[in-house]
Amino acid sequence: SSDVCSSDLDSTGISSFEFSNTGLELESYAFSNSKLSRIDLGVPLEKIPDYAFSNNPVTSVSLPQNLISIGASAFSGTLLTSIDFPTTLQTIGNFAFNGTRLTTFKAPPNLTFIGISALRDTKSLVDADLTSKITLVAESLFQDSNVERVKLPNQVTQIQKNAFNDAKRLVSINFPASLQVIGASAFS
């Protein structure tokens, strides 16, 4: 396999990257703080590691159809406005899309985990559909976001602390019958 390491493209002028090597593996921070605006991950890649594309002017990402996991802060601080997830995606790490410009978020059907603050500080976010296999809304998931409408899956049992803290534009959310715990300051 061909590894792309954290120092390989730091601070380069490359603005677009298309992966064509089917044996490619990314390491943490592989493209962090570079100048990528478009990423095409059209090759088999099961995991996007922690911080892989953080702090980039990325506006467009094409994810591989076999992706299983997106690591912590993988796209944090980018300019992403939308993203389509493959149905194979199961986990989204802590802070994965923190501070992005996503306007909508649609969880893929096989998602079982979305981490702490994964959508925190998303000022452009309006609609979030979490209909998937998740059973909890993670701590600070939507904290400081401008989300207005949230759809929770029927099996959610817990909304953790600060999940919607300072999400002042929230006007619509469903509370499934399975809900047992709403954490401290969840809606403060």
Side-chain angles (χ1 to χ4, degrees):
S1 72
S2 301
D3 287 358
V4 177
C5 302
S6 60
S7 60
D8 287 348
L9 293 169
D10 279 356
S11 304
T12 68
I14 296 172
S15 65
S16 180
F17 201 87
E18 185 172 326
F19 294 93
S20 58
N21 180 346
T22 57
L24 182 72
E25 290 181 31
L26 295 179
E27 292 184 2
S28 295
Y29 296 92
F31 294 94
S32 183
N33 297 304
S34 59
K35 294 178 176 54
L36 292 176
S37 60
R38 185 183 71 80
I39 301 164
D40 183 356
L41 297 171
V43 299
L45 186 66
E46 291 185 352
K47 180 180 182 187
I48 295 175
D50 298 350
Y51 299 92
F53 300 103
S54 64
N55 301 312
N56 270 290
V58 172
T59 57
S60 174
V61 173
S62 176
L63 297 176
Q65 291 305 303
N66 66 323
L67 187 65
I68 294 171
S69 174
I70 295 175
S73 298
F75 293 99
S76 67
T78 66
L79 302 179
L80 278 178
T81 56
S82 66
I83 192 163
D84 291 321
F85 298 109
T87 58
T88 54
L89 187 65
Q90 296 173 14
T91 63
I92 295 175
N94 298 343
F95 295 92
F97 297 97
N98 178 57
T100 63
R101 295 184 179 173
L102 291 175
T103 57
T104 61
F105 181 87
K106 170 75 173 114
N110 292 310
L111 189 70
T112 58
F113 177 80
I114 184 166
I116 294 170
S117 297
L119 294 164
R120 184 176 184 160
D121 200 29
T122 47
K123 300 299 186 193
S124 300
L125 188 63
V126 176
D127 291 301
D129 183 348
L130 298 181
T131 306
S132 61
K133 295 180 178 179
I134 65 168
T135 59
L136 63 85
V137 177
E139 179 180 332
S140 302
L141 181 59
F142 293 101
Q143 187 169 349
D144 299 317
S145 78
N146 284 337
V147 67
E148 294 177 16
R149 293 172 292 278
V150 176
K151 184 174 182 185
L152 299 178
N154 291 334
Q155 71 279 2
V156 164
T157 60
Q158 188 177 151
I159 297 174
Q160 293 187 328
K161 69 180 182 177
N162 298 318
F164 295 91
N165 185 281
D166 233 5
K168 294 181 177 14
R169 293 190 180 172
L170 183 65
V171 293
S172 175
I173 185 171
N174 64 302
F175 293 103
S178 58
L179 187 61
Q180 298 170 8
V181 177
I182 297 177
S185 301
F187 293 92
S188 294

